[in-house]
Amino acid sequence: GAVVSQHPSRVICKSGTSVKIECRSLDFQATTMFWYRQFPKQSLMLMATSNEGSKATYEQGVEKDKFLINHASLTLSTLTVTSAHPEDSSFYICSARVVGSGHNEQFFGPGTRLTVL
Amino acid sequence: LAKTTQPISMDSYEGQEVNITCSHNNIATNDYITWYQQFPSQGPRFIIQGYKTKVTNEVASLFIPADRKSSTLSLPRVSLSDTAVYYCLVGFNNTNAGKSTFGDGTTLTVKP
């Protein structure tokens, strides 16, 4: 299957700093990528849909000025958590969708563990 | 978006067949049904996808009745390493639009 990578895999930062997470589709082009957040023992929560060359679509309750998403190319989307606070500590997961004849598949990255001190 | 309902947890023993059913009463005509597996601190991994009837691959089977209001993931002869959370997703359609949201998932525990 297609491979999606995320960088970094783990980051610890101080409160008030900004953190950028990269999501790359390694062997395919993805016009659409998704960003999810997952708290311990909970399901994945969709934060936003990232479309190449256009503005991201955010889910209700997700602050677009705090979670900046840039999808500048068909293989890269970035999520920047601005002025991070301890409550932003979570597991952030991206995915990229492949649309083909007769199927739709969504491939997930390995996730990024963010800890804000 | 179609809402999905799954059992919160299931227990099984090594070597048994496990069937996890997902309800999706509001599934749209063009929606696909996809199942994912997730281990702790990892991204979800694609297991199987189907639209109707039965789909089988090397790791699982997916059974979808004619009304498509539910689906059943079947894992043959599970092992300890199949202990994970399993998610049923409904929400893609066959265009480059739409989004998928996760339900609560089913925590499968395989015992020796």
Side-chain angles (χ1 to χ4, degrees), chain A residues 19-70:
Chain A
V19 175
K20 179 185 285 188
I21 303 170
E22 293 185 349
C23 177
R24 294 182 183 273
S25 56
L26 296 186
D27 49 3
F28 66 100
Q29 294 182 332
T31 56
T32 303
M33 291 185 173
F34 301 93
W35 286 96
Y36 294 85
R37 179 167 54 180
Q38 186 175 34
F39 293 106
K41 304 291 186 183
Q42 294 186 22
S43 182
L44 285 78
M45 294 173 46
L46 180 65
M47 299 176 67
T49 301
S50 170
N51 295 297
E52 186 268 336
S54 64
K55 293 182 178 180
T57 303
Y58 291 82
E59 294 300 300
Q60 188 174 6
V62 178
E63 300 176 55
K64 63 179 181 180
D65 294 330
K66 180 171 181 63
F67 299 99
L68 302 178
I69 292 173
N70 184 280

Side-chain angles (χ1 to χ4, degrees), chain A residues 85-99:
Chain A
H85 292 285
E87 58 265 30
D88 298 322
S89 297
S90 188
F91 193 51
Y92 290 85
I93 306 171
C94 74
S95 70
R97 180 163 63 193
V98 176
V99 179

Side-chain angles (χ1 to χ4, degrees), chain B residues 34-103:
Chain B
T34 313
W35 285 80
Y36 291 88
Q37 175 193 56
Q38 187 184 29
F39 297 111
S41 296
Q42 295 186 26
R45 184 175 73 97
F46 174 89
I47 300 174
I48 197 167
Q49 183 181 76
Y51 182 80
K52 61 181 179 180
T53 63
K54 177 184 175 181
V55 179
T56 297
N57 60 23
E58 62 276 10
V59 297
S61 294
L62 178 59
F63 299 92
I64 305 169
D67 65 6
R68 303 200 329 123
K69 294 183 182 299
S70 67
S71 60
T72 299
L73 173 71
S74 181
L75 304 173
R77 298 180 299 282
V78 294
S79 63
L80 296 177
S81 62
D82 292 318
T83 294
V85 179
Y86 292 82
Y87 294 98
C88 156
L89 262 72
V90 174
F92 277 136
N93 53 34
N94 199 21
T95 67
N96 202 21
K99 57 186 179 182
S100 61
T101 56
F102 283 77

Side-chain angles (χ1 to χ4, degrees), chain B residues 1-7 20-27 33 35 62-63 65 67-73 87-90 101 103-106:
Chain B
L1 292 177
K3 176 179 168 57
T4 60
T5 303
Q6 303 174 230
I20 306 174
T21 297
C22 177
S23 296
H24 29 79
N25 292 318
N26 297 323
I27 188 170
I33 300 161
W35 285 80
L62 178 59
F63 299 92
D67 65 6
R68 303 200 329 123
K69 294 183 182 299
S70 67
S71 60
T72 299
L73 173 71
Y87 294 98
C88 156
L89 262 72
V90 174
T101 56
D104 292 334
T106 298

